[in-house]
Amino acid sequence: MRRVSGIGLLVAAGLLTACAQGTGDDDTSADASYDSEAELSGTLEVMGFGTEDDVAQNRLAEAEKALGDVEVDLVEGDLDIQQFLASVADGSPPDLVYAERNQIGTFASRGAVVPLADCLEGEGIDTGIFNEAALGQVTFDDEVYGVPEFNVVQIVQANQQLLDQAGVSVEDVNGADWDAVTAANKKLMKTDGGKLTVIGFDSKMPEFLPLWAKANGADLISEDGRTAQLDDPAVVEALEFAVGIYDDQGGFSKVKAFRDSADFFGEGNQFASGTLGAMPMEQWYVNVLNDVSPDAPMAFDTVRTREGDPIAWASGSAWAIPRGSDNPEAACRMARAMTQTDTWVAAAEKRIELREKEGGLFTGLLTGNVEADEVIEGMVEPSGDAKWDQAVEKTYEANGATFAMPANPAGEEFEAAWQDAVNRVLNGQQEPQEAMAQAQEEAQSALDEAWSEWDDK
Amino acid sequence: MGRQVRSRETRAALLFISPWIVGFLVFTAYPVIYTGYLSFTDYDVINDPAFVGFDNFKELLEDDKVALALRNTFIFAAMSVPAQLLVSLALALLLNWAGRASGFFRTAFFLPKMTPPVAIGVLFLLIFNGQSGLINGMLGTIGIDGPAWTTDPSWVKPGLVMMSLWTVGGSVIILLAALRNVPQELYDAARVDGAGFWRQTWSITIPMISGAMFFVFIVDTIAAFQSFSEAYTAFFGSGNTTYSNDAALFYAIYLFQQAFQFLHMGYASAMAWVLFVIIMIVTFIQIRVTQRFVYYEAETR
């Protein structure tokens, strides 16, 4: 077996610290003056943003227009957190960083990115146009640290043919009635000689615990991001429900093994091959299905709370200005230009043209900008195939009913605490109650430690 | 004359290995020493390290996950090291026996070692898939309902041990080279005395290659303690999967999480030093205990 040698890790850690020696306070981003009318110049180094698709390319072109003489230099590829933090520590950060929204709290609490109040005011960015949950994710200790963009939401995706055979409907698997979901799951699932051949319902554990908890009226963390609420009875109940779905199918092991063997992105995906009844899944999977198996007998609905209202757990990206950015004015201008309504609409128009040329579907864009979402939703034309139109409609409905976890300084540890707990239950090592109690303790102590460091600053 | 020549030769030798010395000092020695310092600090990559005395080490003692990771690592090492040694010895004996064809098989056995560890991790999930994997398929043909290798905590480590045999090729080559060095006269003499295959193996082969076996034993043990990539890929993969199984939480994996996921560099440095000390102690014990059994050609006994 190969291994990461202890020495290797030591070396990596040592090199990082060697870089950290030069931590200086030459913070140019502190005395920047933002003005939407100002002529900007210089270069703008952007870390974490890639131009893989047409929407990114076209928005970048729009932003470059707004930036005038500024030369944009992209460091492409997903953001490498260590690389980014080390570059801030040694005083040579990028001028603008593009990150997952749930990373912003970690960056802000460690002083790696700066508050954006001046930037927002100077460039005239109206935070009111952003999706509320998205803005909450980039707001740390009452200050905005990121300009949000994109929204990823879940909708229930189901196989209508299997639903019909089992005599149930998509409303039975949208989560509004947990007993109905449990019953439908039992009717949808099929086994053959102890082997699972059709997964009835996949509750998508461990990742969707926050979704099921919220559907049951509980948040995993308090609104100020300081208190873990993992042992809340409603959270435990949600976990019991979601795990019960697996237990009824012979246990999580069987479902996972079967799910792992599926061709998720190909023609033989679980819906096309008729081996999955229903699951909540992010909206981008609709595009995959439409591409590789346009004839799959799909049905869609939003995920529902137990009161029957639509609900979705949102995630997405954000722009932030690193401490020590050499060109914060241009960074702020770019963040504005990338996220303003006109840019999104222009990119959507180009996307529609492109899809028409390719003979594909335009399924809308969730931008994180409420104003842009409204305009673009109006641009979506009926496709002539009711099921895909339904997918778009339900996606937009879900987009209007999102929640997200607030920014906190121990994001990774908090996530690890609840995911580990769910995994212990799925692996049969602990009961839900006990697992969540342990998670609560671990999460709270991580939060307390991280917050006390922040409060001491 | 002798002294002058020798000092000139020494200087030339030092000059030739100086690139390595510089590299060692800058990229290995300095970082190792620096982590020694870091292990006494609270350090999050971005803010300056703050000295905290022995706090990290105290916390280590109380951390349940450190205990769990150590237990996992010891169990894995206790299973995988003997398994690797036995399988590589068996394969080497076979190869030694194969005569001319051994050249081909030597390459064939070594090839899997060239697989990137991350690919082995992914392969593990495929081969050991509880529902449609190769292993359970084979078990099924002889009427055994195979376990859930990738999710059942009590089967995760045995699965990883079996998977670790994938890269046994390196040890096979070393042992085969040692086998080739065993003098033929010894076997001839034994045959005259009427010794069969097993007797020859036990009384001649094993003692004569004990030095190489000891080397493989030590190196595999250290490797097992530092085991990371395959288990990390299969059970903690960073991609879109949130599933994990703490039966596969090896020490190096927990260390990695603390350092690069939670940004607790000081704590991770302390963990790295503890691992270093543990491996040193284990190796020391191995050397002491096996001393009696290992034969070196140069020694007279």
Side-chain angles (χ1 to χ4, degrees), chain A residues 123-295:
Chain A
E123 282 288 338
I125 301 172
D126 173 12
T127 53
I129 62 171
F130 297 118
N131 179 300
E132 208 176 311
L135 194 64
Q137 271 188 297
V138 294
T139 306
F140 176 71
D141 210 16
D142 294 331
E143 287 249 35
V144 175
Y145 282 85
V147 181
E149 66 169 47
F150 283 118
N151 225 17
V152 178
V153 300
Q154 309 77 29
I155 57 175
V156 173
Q157 312 189 4
N159 184 318
Q160 185 64 53
Q161 208 175 320
L162 290 178
L163 293 178
D164 289 343
Q165 284 169 14
V168 293
S169 72
V170 72
E171 282 79 29
D172 291 313
V173 289
N174 65 13
D177 178 350
W178 284 2
D179 291 337
V181 178
T182 304
N185 175 47
K186 286 179 192 162
K187 287 183 201 157
L188 284 162
M189 63 167 281
K190 285 177 196 155
T191 54
D192 179 19
K195 253 191 183 181
L196 200 57
T197 54
V198 173
I199 298 174
F201 186 78
D202 190 344
S203 50
K204 296 293 278 191
M205 293 304 250
E207 59 260 44
F208 285 171
L209 177 70
L211 181 65
W212 296 120
K214 186 71 176 182
N216 201 23
D219 289 297
L220 298 195
I221 189 167
S222 66
E223 213 172 315
D224 60 5
R226 286 174 183 267
T227 314
Q229 301 169 167
L230 297 174
D231 57 354
D232 185 312
V235 176
V236 175
E237 190 186 13
L239 178 57
E240 280 165 349
F241 157 70
V243 172
I245 292 289
Y246 293 131
D247 290 342
D248 289 342
Q249 304 183 71
F252 176 71
S253 286
K254 290 208 165 156
V255 178
K256 180 180 188 291
F258 191 30
R259 166 169 103 186
D260 281 355
S261 64
D263 178 15
F264 198 74
F265 291 97
E267 286 172 27
N269 63 71
Q270 291 163 291
F271 288 120
S273 62
T275 52
L276 170 62
M279 67 173 172
M281 183 65 202
E282 282 86 4
Q283 91 268 17
W284 53 260
Y285 197 54
V286 173
N287 289 328
V288 173
L289 293 172
N290 177 247
D291 262 351
V292 299
S293 52
D295 298 325

Side-chain angles (χ1 to χ4, degrees), chain A residues 330-388:
Chain A
C332 185
R333 174 77 52 88
M334 175 151 175
R336 187 204 66 185
M338 291 300 278
T339 56
Q340 67 189 14
T341 309
D342 294 349
T343 305
W344 284 114
V345 173
E349 279 167 355
K350 295 246 171 75
R351 163 65 63 95
I352 292 172
E353 264 172 49
L354 182 75
R355 295 302 280 165
E356 268 172 11
K357 228 181 280 168
E358 294 172 345
L361 222 64
F362 176 66
T363 52
L365 273 182
L366 300 189
T367 65
N369 171 334
V370 178
E371 217 175 73
D373 282 349
E374 249 168 59
V375 180
I376 294 172
E377 188 180 1
M379 293 159 66
V380 180
E381 299 280 339
S383 66
D385 190 339
K387 67 190 181 203
W388 303 118

